[in-house]
């Protein structure tokens, strides 16, 4: 069964710092990997989608990379802002069964003004 | 197109009562997924539909849970005889197809069972 792990579980940084969030998964048979943002008590906002054939995707200050063979992805956030404070979840779409997403437990990010 | 919508956004119920949630997917999307998220955890897959057919259910979906998607449009998730352990965020997602298509999530329904 696919397992997704996110490290660290929580991260606190001063405003303006660049930071990296890590995601690892156990089964490389995936279609794609998605990074989501979740504010407290709210739903999921999709940030970046990387197809299995791609190595990275960029959107504004966000850059996500994927190394499918080693089962790793990183989300790089440049010049962090207090508004970036949220929980960041990564999820992989498996190639078997329902093609559902398997999620990690998230990294809770706090950006201190 | 306004995206995936869910109703209600919040539901408080007493233990033993039945509750029903609704999800309206993006109009042309034929795949619809339900996930459940408990506090401090990532969402977990419950079930999914291709058009009106419910094709898979996870072991998390006990006999007290039932989902439907009549006519392949909106979907409902009903929980009978709610228990405190059912308290969670219930998330719905839809996609244009399977394989590599992206899933788009709704805002979720937060259920609190007292």
């Amino acid at each position: 069964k696919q397992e997704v792990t996110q490290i660290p579980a929580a991260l606190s940084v001063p405003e303006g710092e660049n930071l990296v969030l890590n995601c690892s998964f156990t089964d490389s048979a995936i279609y794609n990997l998605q990074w989501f943002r979740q504010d407290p008590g709210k739903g999921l906002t999709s940030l970046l989608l990387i197809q299995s054939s791609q190595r990275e995707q960029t959107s504004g200050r966000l850059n996500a990379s994927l190394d499918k063979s080693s089962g790793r992805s990183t989300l790089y956030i440049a010049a962090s802002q207090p508004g970036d404070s949220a929980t960041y979840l990564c999820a992989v779409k498996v190639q078997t069964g329902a093609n559902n997403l398997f999620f990690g437990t998230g990294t809770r990010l706090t950006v201190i003004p | 197109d306004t995206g995936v919508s869910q109703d209600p956004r919040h539901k408080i119920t007493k233990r033993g009562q039945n509750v029903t949630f609704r999800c309206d997917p993006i109009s042309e999307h034929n795949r619809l997924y339900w996930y459940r998220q408990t506090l401090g955890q990532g969402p977990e897959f419950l079930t999914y539909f291709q058009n009106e057919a419910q094709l898979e259910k996870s072991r998390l979906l006990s006999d007290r849970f039932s989902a439907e998607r009549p006519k392949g449009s909106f979907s409902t998730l009903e929980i009978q005889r709610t228990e405190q352990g059912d308290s969670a965020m219930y998330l719905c997602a839809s996609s244009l197809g399977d394989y590599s298509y992206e899933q788009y999530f709704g805002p979720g329904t937060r259920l609190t069972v007292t």
Side-chain angles (χ1 to χ4, degrees):
Chain A
K1 180 190 169 188
Q2 178 74 259
E3 292 184 6
V4 181
T5 303
Q6 291 187 247
I7 294 173
L11 181 63
S12 185
V13 300
E15 181 177 2
E17 270 204 7
N18 303 326
L19 60 102
V20 175
L21 307 181
N22 296 291
C23 172
S24 62
F25 48 95
T26 55
D27 186 347
S28 62
I30 64 169
Y31 284 119
N32 55 47
L33 181 145
Q34 250 177 300
W35 282 93
F36 293 89
R37 169 188 173 134
Q38 187 172 36
D39 293 292
K42 304 294 185 182
L44 305 179
T45 300
S46 180
L47 299 173
L48 289 165
L49 170 72
I50 311 177
Q51 299 293 352
S52 62
S53 59
Q54 297 175 322
R55 297 284 293 182
E56 65 179 310
Q57 282 286 338
T58 297
S59 176
R61 294 182 294 110
L62 305 180
N63 176 275
S65 69
L66 174 64
D67 184 343
K68 198 175 78 160
S69 61
S70 67
R72 295 176 188 271
S73 175
T74 61
L75 178 66
Y76 174 82
I77 303 177
S80 58
Q81 303 170 358
D84 295 332
S85 298
T87 295
Y88 291 80
L89 294 157
C90 83
V92 295
K93 191 174 190 187
V94 297
Q95 292 185 353
T96 55
N99 300 148
N100 54 287
L101 293 174
F102 275 89
F103 284 83
T105 54
T107 294
R108 188 171 70 249
L109 173 66
T110 303
V111 181
I112 303 166
Chain B
D1 190 355
T2 56
V4 180
S5 62
Q6 292 187 246
D7 184 70
R9 298 289 302 276
H10 303 275
K11 179 71 177 178
I12 300 174
T13 191
K14 293 184 178 179
R15 189 177 56 184
Q17 298 293 307
N18 299 342
V19 294
T20 300
F21 311 141
R22 176 180 171 127
C23 170
D24 286 89
I26 295 171
S27 59
E28 67 269 25
H29 286 190
N30 58 20
R31 281 214 165 192
L32 188 148
Y33 296 80
W34 285 98
Y35 293 84
R36 181 174 72 184
Q37 184 180 26
T38 54
L39 203 61
Q41 301 297 313
E44 294 176 287
F45 167 71
L46 291 178
T47 188
Y48 89 100
F49 292 82
Q50 175 139 345
N51 300 312
E52 67 276 7
Q54 186 175 17
L55 296 184
E56 189 162 326
K57 295 188 269 188
S58 85
R59 285 173 288 180
L60 294 175
L61 214 65
S62 75
D63 291 345
R64 296 183 298 104
F65 288 70
S66 63
E68 294 183 341
R69 192 182 182 196
K71 302 178 184 177
S73 55
F74 69 91
S75 176
T76 58
L77 179 67
E78 180 183 17
I79 309 175
Q80 297 183 326
R81 305 181 303 282
T82 52
E83 301 173 355
Q84 288 188 319
D86 297 331
S87 295
M89 174 80 89
Y90 290 84
L91 294 159
C92 174
S94 71
S95 69
L96 193 55
D98 50 14
Y99 306 124
S100 62
Y101 284 97
E102 183 175 357
Q103 291 184 19
Y104 295 83
F105 280 79
T109 294
R110 177 164 297 282
L111 172 67
T112 302
V113 181
T114 62

